[in-house]
Amino acid sequence: MRKQEVWTGGEASQAHSTGSPAEQVKALVDLLAWKGSQGGQTPQVPDRTPDSPLGPRSNDSRIRRYREALLSRMEGGPELNGPPPRLASLLLVEGLTDLQLREHDFTQVEATRGQQRPARPIGLDRLFLPLSRVSIPPRISITVGVAGMGKTTLVRHFVRLWAQGQVGRDFLLVLPLTFRDLNIHEKLSADRLLRSVFPNTGEAGLDVATQARVLLVLDGLDECKTPLDFSNTVACTDPKKEIQVDHLITNIVRGNLFPKVSVWITSRPSVAGQIPGGLVDRMTEIRGFTEEEIKVCLERMFPEEQTLLGQVLSQVQADRALYLMCTVPAFCNLTGTALGHLCRSRPALQDAELWPPRTLCELYSWYFRMALSREGQEKGKVSPRIEQVAHGGRKMVGTLGRLAFHGLVKRKYVFYEQDMKAFGVDLTLLQGALCSCFLQREETLASSVAYCFTHLSLQEFVAAAYYYSASRKAIFDLFTESGMSWPRLGFLTHFRSAAQRAMQAEDGRLDVFLRFLSGLLSPRVNALLAGSLLAQGEHQSYRAQVAELLQGCLHRDTAVCSRAVNVLHCLNELQHTELVRSMAEAMESGALARLTGPAHRAALAYLLQVSDTCAREANLSLCLSQGVLQSLLPQLLYCRSLRLDTNQFQDPVMELLGSVLSGKDCRIQKISLAENQISNKGAKALARSLLVNRSLTALDLRSNTIGPQGAKALAEALKINRTLTSLSLQSNMIKDDGARSMAEALASNQTLSLLHLQKNSIGPTGAQRMAEALRQNRSLKELMFSSNSIGDGGAKALAEALKVNQGLESLDLQSNSISDAGVAMLMEALGVNQTLLSLNLRENSISPEGAQALAHALCINSTLKHLDLTANLLHDQGAQAIAVAVGKNHTLKSLHLQWNFIQASAAKALGQALLLNSSLTSLDLQENAIGDEGASAVASALKANTALTALYLQVASIGAPGAQALGEALAVNRTLEILDLRGNAIGVAGAKALASSLKINSSLRRLNLQENSLGMDGAICIASALSGNHGLQHINLQGNQVGNSGARMISEAIKTKAPSCTVKM
C-alpha cells in the first residue's frame, strides 16, 4: 500500500465567500491540486474571518445547500425505497483474479456458480477509513461488479447517505461524476472538471475547511469511451491545462493532479484491470443476490400476486443456470419481468410446448415478445397479435441492432445523439414502448443525452438478432464492413466469421453474442419469433451445418479454455446436446476413461461448470490421465469438491494441481487424491500451494506413499496455512518422524480440526509427540490413530494429554496393541476430560480387568456419547461390569460390543441396564452367542425402554424362541427403528412371530432377516404382514432359500402391499 500524506492545519486554508466565482473555483482547484513539494507554500486563499459560520464539521449553509442539491439530483434513482442490505457493506478483496480480468461477465457468474470468493466485509461507513490503527486512509479505491450488479445504485446510495450526514463524515465534499458525463468532452482540464460538477459555484460561494478531505467519485470506468493507458500517458500537473479525458483520469489516479483528493472508481472487473495494481490502495467487490434475496426481489415485483410469484419463483428455482444468473440483480429483474408477464398472459395453446424457457436465448425471445405486446397495447390494441407489431420489431432490430452490434465490437456501451445519427437511429422511435424495454435514456451534467441498453445482455441479444438478419444478405464482412468477397456469400460464412472472432477474443466479450446467434437457429426460438423477427422454418437449412461448424472449433488438442466451454453453451442454445448428453451418461456409468478427445474434454469441462451433480462433487476418479487433467486445469479451478481418486497420478501431476491450488481464482474447497502414486515430491508440491491457497478446507491423500518427508513438507505448510480444516494421511508410511512433524504443526496451527493418521506404522514415540501437541492445540476435534502400534506407552501419553486438552471430541485408537494397562490410563483421563465425545478402542486387547476400568470411567464421565469396544476380550465378566455402568450412565448414546465372547448372562445384565438407562440409542451385540435366553432378556427390556432406536443382533445364535420374544417386544415398543437379525436361525416360527408384531408396530423402519432359514413360508408371512405396516422402509430377506421365482413373487407382493418399502431378495 502506498504511503499517503495527511493534511495538517498549515497545509490547507479556507476560501472565504468574498470574491468572484472564478476566484472561488481557483481557490478550490489550487487547494485540491497543491503538493507540498512545490516550494513549501500553501495555496494563497483568503483567511477565514472570525465571524465566518464555517466550522470544522462544515455546518455552513452553502455546504448544506450543496448537500440538498445532491439529494435532489439523486432523486429517481433505483431502489430509492430502501436499497437492499447487501449494499450496506462490500467485500474487501486483494486484486482481481484471472477470471475477472479475462472473461465475460456471464462466464464469471457461471464459473463461480454465483458465489463470491472468501473475503472480509467492510461497511460503507468504513469504506474510506483506515483498516487498522497503524494504516492510513486509501487514496485510490476501486469497487468492481459484473454488469447489472448495482454499481451505480451503490454510488447513488452512498452519495445520498453522505448528503444526509450518515457516512463519510470526514469528507467535506463528495464530487460524484460518471464516465457518461465525461465522454461528451474530447479534452478537459481539472479546472473544468470541477466546473462540470459545480456549474453554479459562484452563487454558492463554496468554502473549503481546514484539514478537509474531498472524495471524487468516478462511476462506470467500463463506459469510458477511450481505454486508460498508463504506460503512454504524459504527466500533467497543471490543473488548468486541457488534455484528453483519459489522460486527465490517469493523471488524477497517479496523483499528478489532485494528489490530496480521495478517488473512488467503479467498474466492471475486466476493465478495472486497466489501472495498475500498484496504484490501487483498496479494492472492493459488490456481492450478488443470495437465494433469499432473489426471492425478496421477486416478491417486490409481485407484491399482491402470490400465485404469480409462486409460478415465477418455481421456474427460477427449477432451472439451475437461470437461478445462478439471477444472483445478478439486473438479470433477476429482467427475468422476473419476462416470466411474470408470460405467466400472467398464459401462453396460447400453440405456445404451450415452448413454455417454460429452457435456454438463455429462449428467455430473451420471450422478453422480446413481451416488448412487442406492450408496443401493441400502447397503440390501443387490447390483445394485439404478434404479427400486428412485427414490422415495428424488425424496424427496431434494424436500427438499434446495428448500433448494438458495432458498439459491442468496439466495446462501446454508452451512446449519444451523434452516435444515433451516425447509425441512422430515428430518435422518435426511441420513445415507443418497444424500445423502452431495451434502451434507457439519461441526461448528463452537461445537459446532453446519453443512451445505453438496460443490461449488457440485451445489447448482445439485439446485436445477435441484427447480425442474424443482416448476414443473410450482406456481401461484406459485417465486423469490418469491408472485404467484399462475392464467391463466399451466405449466412454460414458470416456465422463462421463470428465464431472465429469469438474464439479469438481473449476477453470473451463476444461469447454471449455467439450464444444468442446460435440460439436464434434453434427450433423453439424459431417458433417463438416466427413472423416477428424470424421467418418460419428458416433455421432448418442451417442448423445442422452450424452445429458441425461449432464442433469443429473443439478439435484442438490443447487446454480447454473458456472459449471452448462457450462453444458447448452455443450448442446447448442450438439444442444440439448429443455430445454433452453422452458425456453425462459416461460420468454416471464410470466410463469416462475411454472418452478423451478434445471435444469430449470440452464437454466434460462444460459439465463441471453447469451440472448439479458436479456442483456437489465432481467425481473424476478412475478416468483421468495426466494429459486429460492438464487440459482441464483451467476449469478445475471452480469445482467446489473434486474427487481424483485412483487415477495413477504421480508427482508431476501434483505440480500441475499445485499450480491450480495456488491460483488467486481457485475455489476448490475439498480435494481427494486417494489411492494414487504420490510420493514425497508430490506432497511437497501440494505443500507449496497450501502456503498461498485460501479456499481449500479438506485434503485427502489416503493410500499414497508420501513418507516422512512428504509429511514434513505438509506440516511446514500447516504452520502458515489458515484455511485447511481436514487432512487425511491414512496409509502413507509417515512413521514416527512424520507424526513428529505433524505434532510440531499442531502446536501452532489453530484451524485444523480433523487429522487422519491411520495405518502409518506410528509407534509409541510418534504418539508421545502427538500427545505433547495436544496439550497446546485447541482446534483439533478428531484424531484418527487406528491401525498403528502405539501400545500402552502411546496410550499413556495420549491419556495425559486428554487430562489437559479441552478441544478433542473424537479419538480413534482402533487396532493399536493397547492392553488393560493402557486402557486404565485412558479411563483415568476420562474421569477428568470434559470434551471427548467419541472413543474407539476396537481390536485391542482389553480383558475383563480393563473392562472394570472402563466401567468405573462410565460411572464418572458425563460427556462421552460413543464407545466402540468391538473385537476385544471382554467375555461375560467384563460385559457385565460395563452393563452395570451403563445403568448408571446418562450420556452414552451408542455402545459397540460386537465379537467379545459375550453370552446370555452378560446379555441379561445389559437388559437390566436398558431398564435403567434413558440415553442409549444404539446397542451392537452382533457375533456374540447370547442365544435365545440373552435375546429374550434384551427383548423384555425393550417393552419398557423408550430410548433405544437401533439394535444389532447379527450372528447371535438366536432361534425361534428369541425371535418370538423380540416379536412380543415389537408389539409394545414404539421407539425401535432398526432391528438387525442377520445370520441367525429364527425359521418359520420366528418369522410368524415377527410378522404378527409388524402388523401392530409403527416405529420400525429397517428390518434385516437375511440368512435366517425362513423358507418360502416364512418369507410369505413377513410379506403379508406388511400390508398393515406403514412405517417399514427397508427389509432384507436375502439368503432364505426362496428361489428366484419365489424371490420375484415376494418382492412384487411387498411392492404392492407396501409401496414405500424397499425390499432386498
Side-chain angles (χ1 to χ4, degrees):
M1 183 181 291
R2 259 196 332 271
K3 182 179 179 181
Q4 300 293 320
E5 299 172 22
V6 180
W7 291 358
T8 65
E11 293 174 337
S13 300
Q14 293 175 310
H16 192 249
S17 58
T18 59
S20 68
E23 290 172 341
Q24 293 168 30
V25 172
K26 179 180 182 301
L28 178 59
V29 171
D30 288 344
L31 178 61
L32 297 179
W34 176 78
K35 289 195 283 189
S37 59
Q38 297 176 346
Q41 298 297 316
T42 61
Q44 297 302 309
V45 294
D47 292 335
R48 175 173 163 229
T49 58
D51 58 348
S52 172
L54 186 62
R57 286 291 177 185
S58 183
N59 292 320
D60 186 88
S61 61
R62 288 155 293 189
I63 298 295
R64 187 171 61 253
R65 285 198 299 272
Y66 169 63
R67 291 175 183 261
E68 292 170 355
L70 270 187
L71 282 173
S72 176
R73 177 175 150 195
M74 294 299 159
E75 283 181 0
E79 300 180 356
L80 263 178
N81 295 326
R86 69 185 185 91
L87 294 185
S89 66
L90 304 179
L91 300 175
L92 196 62
V93 296
E94 295 183 8
L96 297 167
T97 66
D98 289 342
L99 180 73
Q100 291 175 310
L101 289 171
R102 298 177 184 174
E103 303 299 343
H104 190 283
D105 291 14
F106 269 33
T107 304
Q108 293 178 38
V109 177
E110 290 165 341
T112 60
R113 297 183 181 273
Q115 300 294 318
Q116 266 73 32
R117 48 183 162 155
R120 170 184 169 186
I122 182 170
L124 286 187
D125 56 335
R126 299 197 56 81
L127 192 55
F128 304 103
L129 296 178
L131 295 178
S132 67
R133 293 181 180 179
V134 295
S135 60
I136 54 179
R139 179 176 176 268
I140 303 297
S141 301
I142 298 181
T143 295
V144 296
V146 298
M149 193 59 83
K151 299 179 291 295
T152 298
T153 301
L154 170 70
V155 167
R156 297 173 71 92
H157 178 49
F158 178 88
V159 172
R160 282 195 293 266
L161 291 180
W162 174 81
Q164 294 166 354
Q166 296 182 43
V167 298
R169 294 184 180 90
D170 51 338
F171 289 122
L172 175 67
L173 290 175
V174 171
L175 317 177
L177 277 170
T178 69
F179 280 91
R180 295 180 188 181
D181 297 324
L182 300 177
N183 284 341
I184 61 175
H185 303 283
E186 291 298 327
K187 290 188 174 182
L188 195 62
S189 67
D191 186 356
R192 284 184 61 203
L193 178 71
L194 287 179
R195 290 179 186 273
S196 69
V197 188
F198 306 110
N200 301 316
T201 302
E203 297 176 11
L206 191 65
D207 286 346
V208 180
T210 303
Q211 301 183 17
R213 288 180 63 200
V214 176
L215 175 64
L216 175 63
V217 183
L218 300 172
D219 181 30
L221 175 60
D222 47 286
E223 296 177 345
C224 183
K225 64 180 179 182
T226 307
L228 303 185
D229 186 355
F230 282 80
S231 58
N232 295 311
T233 300
V234 178
C236 175
T237 58
D238 183 359
K240 290 189 172 294
K241 183 178 179 179
E242 294 206 346
I243 54 179
Q244 290 179 212
V245 172
D246 56 309
H247 291 181
L248 175 66
I249 300 303
T250 55
N251 275 286
I252 290 175
V253 171
R254 284 194 179 279
N256 299 324
L257 294 169
F258 299 165
K260 303 296 183 183
V261 172
S262 296
V263 181
W264 182 23
I265 299 173
T266 68
S267 174
R268 287 168 54 202
S270 57
V271 181
Q274 294 176 6
I275 302 177
L279 297 177
V280 180
D281 300 307
R282 184 168 297 174
M283 182 165 287
T284 52
E285 186 173 344
I286 304 179
R287 69 168 179 83
F289 277 163
T290 61
E291 184 173 358
E292 183 61 30
E293 286 169 335
I294 291 175
K295 183 178 179 181
V296 170
C297 175
L298 296 175
E299 285 174 346
R300 288 181 177 177
M301 297 181 71
F302 312 109
E304 298 178 358
E305 299 174 278
Q306 291 302 310
T307 302
L308 181 62
L309 170 65
Q311 293 174 332
V312 173
L313 193 58
S314 63
Q315 173 58 28
V316 169
Q317 292 172 336
D319 189 329
R320 182 68 181 173
L322 186 60
Y323 163 74
L324 290 179
M325 291 311 304
C326 281
T327 58
V328 179
F331 187 91
C332 188
N333 275 289
L334 185 150
T335 301
T337 301
L339 295 181
H341 173 81
L342 296 170
C343 288
R344 191 182 286 116
S345 59
R346 295 183 181 178
L349 289 176
Q350 64 268 26
D351 293 335
E353 62 182 23
L354 304 177
W355 175 262
R358 298 176 185 170
T359 66
L360 198 64
C361 195
E362 286 182 34
L363 176 67
Y364 281 67
S365 298
W366 280 111
Y367 185 86
F368 183 76
R369 284 185 53 161
M370 178 203 71
L372 287 176
S373 174
R374 289 185 178 179
E375 178 82 357
Q377 290 175 2
E378 189 179 75
K379 294 177 180 178
K381 301 183 179 81
V382 178
S383 299
R385 296 175 59 193
I386 295 293
E387 293 78 3
Q388 293 175 300
V389 288
H391 176 71
R394 285 192 290 270
K395 187 175 181 181
M396 188 275 286
V397 171
T399 53
L400 287 188
R402 185 163 175 259
L403 179 78
F405 173 70
H406 288 285
L408 196 62
V409 172
K410 298 173 183 178
R411 297 184 177 87
K412 188 177 180 69
Y413 308 107
V414 181
F415 308 94
Y416 300 88
E417 290 189 359
Q418 59 267 31
D419 298 313
M420 298 295 188
K421 292 176 182 177
F423 284 97
V425 177
D426 184 356
L427 296 182
T428 59
L429 183 68
L430 304 181
Q431 299 173 7
L434 181 60
C435 284
S436 67
C437 289
F438 290 86
L439 210 64
Q440 63 184 31
R441 181 181 184 274
E442 182 179 309
E443 288 192 10
T444 67
L445 284 176
S447 298
S448 179
V449 177
Y451 298 90
C452 69
F453 285 87
T454 309
H455 188 253
L456 171 63
S457 58
L458 284 173
Q459 180 175 351
E460 292 164 322
F461 175 76
V462 175
Y466 161 77
Y467 191 89
Y468 178 90
S469 175
S471 63
R472 299 176 62 80
K473 52 190 176 183
I475 59 173
F476 49 80
D477 183 357
L478 288 168
F479 280 88
T480 60
E481 296 193 343
S482 63
M484 188 180 298
S485 180
W486 288 99
R488 304 175 69 183
L489 295 179
F491 175 79
L492 289 175
T493 300
H494 289 290
F495 188 94
R496 182 180 294 106
S497 173
Q500 289 172 347
R501 288 179 181 272
M503 292 294 288
Q504 294 166 2
E506 293 184 357
D507 58 0
R509 71 181 186 280
L510 297 178
D511 280 2
V512 175
F513 163 78
L514 188 63
R515 289 191 205 179
F516 283 133
L517 186 60
S518 303
L520 290 170
L521 289 166
S522 81
R524 287 168 61 89
V525 170
N526 181 267
L528 279 169
L529 299 181
S532 59
L533 193 59
L534 307 176
Q536 181 73 42
E538 66 180 353
H539 67 288
Q540 296 175 355
S541 57
Y542 301 117
R543 183 168 173 264
Q545 293 167 293
V546 165
E548 185 178 349
L549 190 156
L550 287 169
Q551 288 180 305
C553 296
L554 302 175
H555 293 160
R556 298 183 177 91
D557 197 10
T558 55
V560 181
C561 63
S562 295
R563 306 290 81 73
V565 175
N566 191 64
V567 169
L568 272 299
H569 280 288
C570 292
L571 287 170
N572 182 61
E573 294 286 343
L574 193 62
Q575 293 180 31
H576 188 91
T577 59
E578 290 82 357
L579 177 60
V580 170
R581 191 164 58 247
S582 67
M583 287 301 291
E585 291 171 355
M587 278 189 78
E588 199 169 313
S589 62
L592 279 177
R594 58 185 176 83
L595 303 175
T596 59
H600 295 123
R601 299 180 188 187
L604 180 55
Y606 172 80
L607 285 172
L608 290 176
Q609 190 178 101
V610 304
S611 165
D612 283 343
T613 302
C614 291
R616 293 186 293 271
E617 180 181 74
N619 189 350
L620 301 178
S621 302
L622 280 168
C623 66
L624 294 188
S625 64
Q626 179 174 341
V628 174
L629 177 76
Q630 190 165 0
S631 67
L632 289 173
L633 287 179
Q635 308 309 318
L636 295 182
L637 276 167
Y638 311 110
C639 295
R640 298 288 177 186
S641 181
L642 191 58
R643 186 170 291 279
L644 301 172
D645 302 341
T646 324
N647 278 306
Q648 298 183 345
F649 287 157
Q650 298 180 350
D651 296 337
V653 177
M654 296 308 104
E655 294 284 353
L656 296 174
L657 284 176
S659 67
V660 172
L661 292 172
S662 300
K664 193 183 293 185
D665 282 350
C666 183
R667 304 295 178 92
I668 301 174
Q669 295 177 356
K670 299 179 181 180
I671 186 168
S672 178
L673 293 162
E675 299 180 23
N676 282 289
Q677 298 171 14
I678 306 168
S679 72
N680 63 346
K681 290 183 179 179
K684 289 176 181 177
L686 293 172
R688 286 192 293 271
S689 70
L690 290 179
L691 295 173
V692 294
N693 179 279
R694 294 188 178 183
S695 66
L696 196 67
T697 60
L699 174 61
D700 189 347
L701 291 172
R702 281 177 295 122
S703 302
N704 284 285
T705 55
I706 70 170
Q709 291 302 311
K712 181 178 181 181
L714 290 168
E716 290 299 318
L718 286 178
K719 294 178 181 178
I720 297 174
N721 182 282
R722 290 294 179 268
T723 57
L724 199 70
T725 60
S726 175
L727 175 63
S728 177
L729 300 180
Q730 176 182 344
S731 301
N732 266 284
M733 295 298 291
I734 71 170
K735 301 182 179 179
D736 285 341
D737 287 344
R740 181 176 64 247
S741 299
M742 281 291 148
E744 291 174 358
L746 287 180
S748 58
N749 182 289
Q750 295 299 321
T751 53
L752 196 70
S753 60
L754 279 77
L755 179 60
H756 293 192
L757 299 176
Q758 309 99 300
K759 299 182 181 179
N760 270 297
S761 300
I762 300 172
T765 303
Q768 288 167 5
R769 295 286 188 177
M770 192 62 63
E772 292 172 5
L774 288 178
R775 290 172 174 269
Q776 304 174 53
N777 184 281
R778 292 292 180 271
S779 66
L780 199 66
K781 302 298 181 187
E782 180 177 311
L783 177 59
M784 300 284 284
F785 230 77
S786 62
S787 300
N788 286 292
S789 52
I790 70 170
D792 290 338
K796 179 181 179 181
L798 290 169
E800 292 298 322
L802 286 177
K803 293 178 181 179
V804 180
N805 181 284
Q806 296 300 321
L808 197 67
E809 296 177 355
S810 178
L811 178 60
D812 187 343
L813 298 177
Q814 174 182 346
S815 188
N816 262 289
S817 304
I818 301 173
S819 69
D820 293 337
V823 168
M825 296 300 296
L826 288 168
M827 294 306 104
E828 182 183 332
L830 280 187
V832 179
N833 183 282
Q834 296 296 314
T835 59
L836 198 67
L837 303 177
S838 177
L839 178 61
N840 185 355
L841 293 172
R842 293 170 66 109
E843 300 172 17
N844 282 289
S845 303
I846 307 173
S847 72
E849 183 181 346
Q852 295 292 336
L854 280 163
H856 179 69
L858 288 177
C859 291
I860 300 173
N861 183 280
S862 60
T863 54
L864 194 70
K865 296 181 182 298
H866 309 283
L867 178 61
D868 193 339
L869 298 173
T870 298
N872 278 283
L873 306 169
L874 299 183
H875 294 278
D876 272 8
Q877 183 183 352
Q880 286 172 340
I882 290 173
V884 173
V886 168
K888 299 177 181 179
N889 183 284
H890 299 291
T891 55
L892 198 67
K893 288 186 174 296
S894 70
L895 177 62
H896 293 266
L897 297 174
Q898 176 187 356
W899 202 4
N900 262 288
F901 308 100
I902 297 173
Q903 296 183 355
S905 59
K908 290 180 180 179
L910 287 166
Q912 290 298 316
L914 289 178
L915 293 173
L916 301 173
N917 182 283
S918 59
S919 64
L920 198 69
T921 59
S922 177
L923 177 61
D924 184 353
L925 293 174
Q926 60 181 307
E927 299 189 61
N928 286 293
I930 66 171
D932 291 330
E933 187 178 357
S936 298
V938 173
S940 179
L942 286 180
K943 294 179 180 179
N945 181 284
T946 58
L948 202 70
T949 59
L951 177 60
Y952 300 93
L953 297 174
Q954 302 100 307
V955 195
S957 303
I958 301 173
Q964 290 170 351
L966 287 167
E968 292 173 4
L970 287 178
V972 179
N973 183 282
R974 293 293 179 267
T975 54
L976 195 71
E977 298 177 0
I978 300 173
L979 177 59
D980 196 333
L981 293 172
R982 178 177 57 84
N984 287 286
I986 69 172
V988 177
K992 289 181 178 179
L994 289 173
S996 297
S997 67
L998 288 178
K999 295 177 181 179
I1000 304 172
N1001 182 280
S1002 60
S1003 65
L1004 204 65
R1005 298 291 177 262
R1006 300 178 69 89
L1007 175 61
N1008 189 350
L1009 296 177
Q1010 182 181 355
E1011 300 169 6
N1012 261 282
S1013 305
L1014 301 185
M1016 180 64 78
D1017 291 342
I1020 290 175
C1021 285
I1022 296 294
S1024 300
L1026 295 184
S1027 60
N1029 184 295
H1030 302 292
L1032 203 65
Q1033 298 172 354
H1034 186 279
I1035 186 168
N1036 190 332
L1037 297 175
Q1038 291 175 315
N1040 278 292
Q1041 295 89 43
V1042 297
N1044 291 334
S1045 60
R1048 284 194 297 272
M1049 181 186 72
I1050 293 171
S1051 181
E1052 290 300 323
I1054 291 178
K1055 288 180 181 178
T1056 303
K1057 295 177 181 295
S1060 61
C1061 181
T1062 302
V1063 59
K1064 281 190 176 182
M1065 291 296 296

